[in-house]
Amino acid sequence: MIYRERLHVPWWWVLIAALFVLSLAVAVYAYVDPLIATVFTVLAAVGVGLALVAYSATTVGVVDGAVVAGRNRVSLDWVAGADPLAGETARAALGRDANHRDFLLTRPYVPGLVRIRLSDPADPHPAWLVSTRRPEDFAAAVNAPRNAG
């Protein structure tokens, strides 16, 4: 089973970024030569846009026999299982019930999580906590090879 999800930023982050660049432009145009202010504003807009695109490029899922979380991969051979977490359970997993040894790939605008338990005794992380918009589907994809055999 293959599962892939891109953790793109919500539309309102783009709106906030545009308002941020606009406020920079207003401040710079008030004190600097218009040509320099225009160059600064364009460069600021490009920089903020690239930052949003880079933050949105994160993908998570199960591909080619491995769990993928951003640039990180772990083979399904080393996965003991996965549990979907949503709502208060997900918040508790990142808060009061957190394990400081867990590997985290979380996004504040994505409400769901999957806890992926690892079986590798040499791994310093007993589990991965990965943000996802569809925790049940992601957990099912991680657990599918174990359930099939």
Side-chain angles (χ1 to χ4, degrees):
M1 177 178 225
I2 295 177
Y3 175 85
R4 183 176 289 160
E5 177 181 1
R6 187 171 175 194
L7 302 178
H8 55 83
V9 297
W11 66 269
W12 52 271
W13 276 38
V14 177
L15 178 64
I16 290 171
L19 292 173
F20 172 72
V21 170
L22 180 63
S23 69
L24 280 177
V26 169
V28 171
Y29 273 98
Y31 296 103
V32 179
D33 179 70
L35 178 63
I36 295 172
T38 301
V39 170
F40 176 81
T41 303
V42 169
L43 290 175
V46 168
V48 169
L50 288 175
L52 287 176
V53 168
Y55 204 58
S56 289
T58 304
T59 59
V60 299
V62 178
V63 181
D64 297 330
V67 175
V68 177
R71 296 179 300 188
N72 306 288
R73 298 174 61 89
V74 64
S75 172
L76 287 172
D77 296 336
W78 296 110
V79 173
D83 304 311
L85 307 173
E88 183 56 37
T89 309
R91 283 187 292 280
L94 293 173
R96 69 176 181 269
D97 298 337
N99 182 344
H100 70 280
R101 294 177 46 216
D102 286 346
F103 169 81
L104 301 176
L105 190 137
T106 59
R107 296 294 183 253
Y109 48 83
V110 178
L113 285 174
V114 170
R115 175 179 283 124
I116 301 165
R117 298 181 315 280
L118 302 180
S119 60
D120 183 2
D123 196 321
H125 307 290
W128 284 15
L129 289 176
V130 181
S131 287
T132 178
R133 288 186 173 86
R134 299 186 326 256
E136 291 81 15
D137 295 342
F138 191 3
V142 172
N143 292 326
R146 197 168 4 283
N147 295 339

